[in-house]
Amino acid sequence: MISILLVDDEPRMLDLLALYLTPHQYHCTKAYSGEEAITYLTQNQYDLVLLDVMMPVMDGWETCQKIREFSDVPIIMVTARDQKNDIVHGLKIGSDDYITKPFHEDELLERINAILRRTLAIKRVSFNNLVWDPQKHLVTYKHSSITLTPIEFSLLGLFLCHVNQIFSREHLIEKVWGFSADTEGRTVDSHIRNLRDKLRMSNYPIDDYLKSVYGVGYKWLSNS
Amino acid sequence: MISILLVDDEPRMLDLLALYLTPHQYHCTKAYSGEEAITYLTQNQYDLVLLDVMMPVMDGWETCQKIREFSDVPIIMVTARDQKNDIVHGLKIGSDDYITKPFHEDELLERINAILRRTLAIKRVSFNNLVWDPQKHLVTYKHSSITLTPIEFSLLGLFLCHVNQIFSREHLIEKVWGFSADTEGRTVDSHIRNLRDKLRMSNYPIDDYLKSVYGVGYKWLSNS
DNA sequence: GCAATTTTTTATGATATAGTAAAGGGAAAA
DNA sequence: TTTTCCCTTTACTATATCATAAAAAATTGC
């Protein structure tokens, strides 16, 4: 179940938000101040924070900044309508999006879903200094980036997510290309080759890991 | 660098303020009267104004009112101790905060930081001499301005605020156009092209930075 | 070591995506 | 109203990536 932290000093607003979200299978926790929110965040795991800007003592921006010092949790800011600089607020230092009140239930849900679509996806996977980041769509080895084509990227991700598992060519096609693909098994070999080339070019010891299994397929070898 | 306009008729006070602020990376400009301050404000961009109340000819309140006729720059009033009525007065007129003298260096810095946290939320963003200023809605390269349309401006800001992040066309549309937009993906390309054209025309090496990621979207490359 | 089989490499045409230019629509300004 | 500017779409060209076939190298089992 997806859990959302609601932060607002007005109990009414908190109730309203919870009323909107709970029926859609979001588990809501209420915090009445920025300080309280930070306490919750250090103790529990949340998938999203809905953060009101106008709060006494510590306002939303300040809270957002403080949260960013220790967490990457997605944050949606709730601002008043009068702020004209539309996208400017969406760009705010660490917040992922914003919504102006009063807002409709639909709009709120849409923004939440949009954020979760991106952030709830697979997280970074790393294997001895090789980092595969699907959100940034980026692969790095020892902090220098490696440019891969979409298929190469998917292939690498599949192997890293299922280390030591042997994939047949048919299985790889099914996972990377999709079910309706009419791709030949040999095609996989070419992409494997290109992937190996690029990683080798970046001094990554790819041949120690990405192995062919004679007569079966390929696998990513983990010696641990 | 953050720039602050100091306004006071006493040179000593101006020196003292500058002495406090300069070591903390604030660039200070001195104005010896309200009239002078207004002249400066019409010609340059400041992030904050420190405005003394007790001044001959045009006092702080009047100056504050005049400034508010053309600018939203944050203003901190400097008043004598315990003039509560004045404080209320000042807030009504449009000042953002006040400080009573004599004051400690710490108190001054704290109030300045508090204001800047709110108002400076999205300040200028700059990337090797390319400056994106949402408050002035202006883009400059090496101090000569580049005229962009709203969409081009938003796009540029989004990229500069999230360097190295890859945006899909859908993601860009969501951020720049908004949720309910039914814009086609290729439309983004056109605006990217226009943006590139304008920056190229201004001799900015845009092609080194704004890159397309085949099959995915666009990103602003930062080689650091 | 040798033959059968599989994998890797190489080369090339096919396809998908990005870049460019231009036309048309609509809204705001003159 | 006309004019101008900006946005969107479409059509065309250029380029990057993909798929396939065939040759070369490697692996396996005898």
Side-chain angles (χ1 to χ4, degrees):
Chain A
M1 186 142 180
I2 293 163
S3 65
I4 298 182
L5 181 63
L6 310 175
V7 193
D8 203 314
D9 59 307
E10 294 175 56
R12 250 195 202 170
M13 193 64 192
L14 288 175
D15 292 341
L16 182 68
L17 287 170
L19 194 69
Y20 280 165
L21 299 175
T22 308
H24 293 90
Q25 307 304 312
Y26 295 122
H27 178 253
C28 297
T29 306
K30 297 173 185 174
Y32 295 88
S33 70
E35 292 88 343
E36 203 180 331
I38 287 174
T39 306
Y40 285 156
L41 279 165
T42 54
Q43 292 171 355
N44 306 308
Q45 185 77 22
Y46 298 94
D47 298 305
L48 187 86
V49 177
L50 262 175
L51 181 57
D52 190 53
V53 169
M54 290 283 283
M55 290 191 297
V57 191
M58 189 159 84
D59 69 16
W61 302 122
E62 202 177 338
T63 307
C64 177
Q65 270 181 313
K66 283 234 168 25
I67 292 173
R68 276 290 167 268
E69 288 171 10
F70 65 91
S71 170
D72 289 325
V73 62
I75 299 175
I76 296 181
M77 306 294 294
V78 183
T79 72
R81 174 70 72 180
D82 63 337
Q83 319 281 44
K84 263 196 287 187
N85 289 350
D86 33 15
I87 50 117
V88 168
H89 276 93
L91 299 175
K92 176 74 186 69
I93 316 291
S95 76
D96 298 86
D97 203 356
Y98 70 98
I99 188 166
T100 54
K101 58 182 176 183
F103 47 78
H104 291 293
E105 185 178 351
D106 295 344
E107 191 189 353
L108 178 68
L109 286 168
E110 207 166 342
R111 284 175 190 273
I112 289 176
N113 288 333
I115 296 270
L116 291 179
R117 246 199 318 273
R118 289 197 293 273
T119 61
L120 220 57
I122 307 161
K123 307 275 182 198
R124 274 194 303 272
V125 179
S126 59
F127 190 93
N128 75 328
N129 294 316
L130 184 70
V131 179
W132 181 82
D133 188 334
Q135 284 171 46
K136 291 186 173 176
H137 208 274
L138 203 71
V139 173
T140 56
Y141 175 55
K142 287 183 178 171
H143 303 295
S144 66
S145 69
I146 301 169
T147 306
L148 299 182
T149 70
I151 284 183
E152 290 156 12
F153 187 81
S154 300
L155 272 174
L156 179 60
L158 189 58
F159 283 118
L160 290 180
C161 288
H162 303 280
V163 155
N164 281 330
Q165 181 181 329
I166 301 176
F167 291 95
S168 69
R169 287 173 178 72
E170 292 70 35
H171 196 170
L172 286 172
I173 288 168
E174 193 181 302
K175 287 284 185 187
V176 173
W177 279 258
F179 288 95
S180 50
D182 60 340
T183 321
E184 290 216 2
R186 294 290 112 205
T187 303
V188 176
D189 298 27
S190 280
H191 291 284
I192 291 281
R193 177 190 179 276
N194 294 336
L195 179 59
R196 280 173 169 157
D197 261 11
K198 288 186 180 175
L199 288 170
R200 214 177 283 129
M201 217 113 69
S202 303
N203 295 316
Y204 185 79
I206 182 68
D207 299 308
D208 296 344
Y209 301 114
L210 181 47
K211 301 283 190 182
S212 67
V213 183
Y214 197 90
V216 187
Y218 295 95
K219 76 164 176 176
W220 191 278
L221 180 71
S222 164
N223 30 14
S224 63
Chain B
M1 187 142 180
I2 293 164
S3 63
I4 297 182
L5 181 63
L6 310 174
V7 193
D8 203 314
D9 59 309
E10 294 175 56
R12 245 192 206 178
M13 191 64 191
L14 287 176
D15 291 341
L16 183 68
L17 287 169
L19 195 67
Y20 281 167
L21 299 175
T22 309
H24 293 90
Q25 306 304 314
Y26 295 121
H27 178 253
C28 297
T29 306
K30 297 173 185 173
Y32 295 88
S33 69
E35 293 87 343
E36 202 181 332
I38 287 173
T39 305
Y40 285 157
L41 280 164
T42 54
Q43 291 170 355
N44 305 306
Q45 179 78 17
Y46 298 95
D47 298 305
L48 187 86
V49 177
L50 264 174
L51 181 57
D52 190 53
V53 170
M54 292 283 283
M55 290 190 298
V57 191
M58 188 161 84
D59 70 13
W61 307 125
E62 201 181 337
T63 307
C64 178
Q65 261 179 316
K66 282 239 171 14
I67 292 173
R68 277 289 168 267
E69 288 172 11
F70 66 91
S71 171
D72 290 326
V73 62
I75 299 175
I76 296 181
M77 306 295 292
V78 183
T79 73
R81 182 179 291 285
D82 286 340
Q83 301 189 324
K84 294 246 160 102
N85 298 339
D86 287 354
I87 289 157
V88 175
H89 183 221
L91 293 176
K92 270 187 196 162
I93 283 176
S95 72
D96 297 85
D97 201 356
Y98 66 95
I99 187 164
T100 55
K101 57 182 175 182
F103 47 79
H104 290 292
E105 184 178 354
D106 294 344
E107 190 189 353
L108 177 66
L109 286 169
E110 203 158 336
R111 282 175 189 275
I112 288 178
N113 286 333
I115 295 272
L116 291 180
R117 253 200 308 277
R118 289 204 296 273
T119 60
L120 218 59
I122 275 293
K123 217 183 91 75
R124 278 170 255 131
V125 179
S126 60
F127 191 93
N128 75 331
N129 294 315
L130 184 70
V131 179
W132 182 82
D133 188 334
Q135 285 168 38
K136 289 182 122 181
H137 208 272
L138 199 71
V139 172
T140 56
Y141 176 54
K142 289 183 177 169
H143 303 296
S144 66
S145 71
I146 301 169
T147 306
L148 298 182
T149 70
I151 286 181
E152 289 155 12
F153 185 80
S154 299
L155 273 173
L156 180 60
L158 190 58
F159 283 118
L160 289 180
C161 288
H162 301 280
V163 155
N164 280 331
Q165 182 180 328
I166 300 176
F167 291 94
S168 68
R169 288 172 177 73
E170 292 69 35
H171 196 166
L172 287 171
I173 288 169
E174 194 181 299
K175 285 284 185 190
V176 174
W177 277 260
F179 281 89
S180 46
D182 61 340
T183 318
E184 294 230 352
R186 297 312 306 278
T187 302
V188 175
D189 297 29
S190 280
H191 291 283
I192 290 280
R193 178 185 180 279
N194 293 335
L195 179 59
R196 280 174 168 156
D197 264 7
K198 287 183 180 177
L199 288 169
R200 214 178 283 129
M201 217 110 71
S202 303
N203 294 317
Y204 185 79
I206 182 68
D207 298 308
D208 296 344
Y209 300 115
L210 182 47
K211 301 280 191 182
S212 68
V213 183
Y214 193 92
V216 187
Y218 294 96
K219 75 166 174 177
W220 191 278
L221 181 71
S222 163
N223 26 15
S224 65

